[in-house]
Amino acid sequence: MEPVSVGLIGAGPWAGMVHAPELARGPFTRLAGVWARRPEASAELAGKHGVPSFERIEELLEVCEAVAFSVPPAVQAELGIVAARAGKALLLEKPLAADLDGARRLAEAIGEAGVASQMVYTFRYSQATEEFLAKARALRPFGGHAANISGALRGGDFATPWRLERGAVLDVGPHTIDLLDAALGPVTSVRAHGNPLGWVGLLLEHETGAVSEASLCMAATGELPPARIDVYGEHGSASLLGNELGEEIFARMMASFAETVRAGGGHPLDARHGLRLQKIIDDAERQLAS
């Protein structure tokens, strides 16, 4: 398969740690260039990988088949529409947007343009996750629990303005809800309580009749356990720990995205999936704010 030329939008920590090196490494993708709102950051990241840095996003879109996003959710919603209308396939970060309206407009633009899209739900690209989901679905599951606890809001590369403002539901919520959704069936409703900048509890009801709980926190301190999900059913239980995902997840993600681009779309974790989960997140955030 001919490598897919991918332009990178964004030059922050996550772009430098994951997107740029993985896209440049190949063999299924080729990093075509970088554009960011801060030209100096774009030039620095592009220089590390020997690719061009562009001052205008339109210039980047001229040299690539697809774009990968590593920007805040509100920016992704805005620029994703630009890229879709330019006919580019999209590798989109979670959450799809900062709010439901932005997510809906982006998903509609992608649908109207007929371009391929795929979401970066990192847990999903692990072989350990695939094995867990296969086992969980065979259990005839009736319930489960997930926890994602960190101290990300207390400082470091991921204590970014949008995370400090919105907290755990918008940031780690998509990962957690997606796994419960995949293991137990589509989520149909959510009840939320707590504080997004402290501790949040979610009670989820699933289309299958299963019920699950999720605990989310990004303000913890000390030695913390890995993220985990446990599912229980008529034929036993299944568990997945965040430290079991393996080092190959990002290479698998890029290979999967390249296949999606070459196939013209059809990945289950597309923008429509991101929009469906955004509706659940929006409902939970509204409950927490009331």
Side-chain angles (χ1 to χ4, degrees), residues 181-204:
D181 184 273
L184 295 168
V187 173
T188 56
S189 69
V190 59
R191 282 176 276 171
H193 65 100
N195 179 355
L197 301 181
W199 188 280
V200 170
L202 303 178
L203 176 63
L204 304 168

Side-chain angles (χ1 to χ4, degrees), residues 108-121:
E108 288 175 353
I110 290 170
E112 289 170 0
V115 297
S117 64
Q118 190 166 319
M119 299 289 297
V120 179
Y121 291 109

Side-chain angles (χ1 to χ4, degrees), residues 223-287:
E223 187 174 349
L224 301 171
R228 69 177 297 144
I229 175 173
D230 301 285
V231 170
Y232 302 88
E234 295 180 16
H235 302 303
S237 63
S239 298
L240 175 69
L241 298 179
N243 58 6
E244 298 175 340
L245 300 182
E247 297 180 356
E248 80 286 355
I249 55 173
F250 298 114
R252 286 167 59 94
M253 179 178 73
M254 295 307 178
S256 175
F257 179 56
E259 291 176 2
T260 299
V261 175
R262 290 290 177 245
H267 196 277
L269 300 179
D270 62 8
R272 292 171 297 179
H273 180 79
L275 174 60
R276 185 167 66 80
L277 294 195
Q278 189 99 30
K279 293 176 182 176
I280 300 163
I281 292 164
D282 181 76
D283 194 10
E285 288 195 315
R286 283 191 290 104
Q287 293 177 37

Side-chain angles (χ1 to χ4, degrees), residues 170-194:
L170 192 65
D171 187 19
V172 297
H175 286 306
T176 309
I177 296 169
D178 172 63
L179 284 175
L180 290 168
D181 184 273
L184 295 168
V187 173
T188 56
S189 69
V190 59
R191 282 176 276 171
H193 65 100

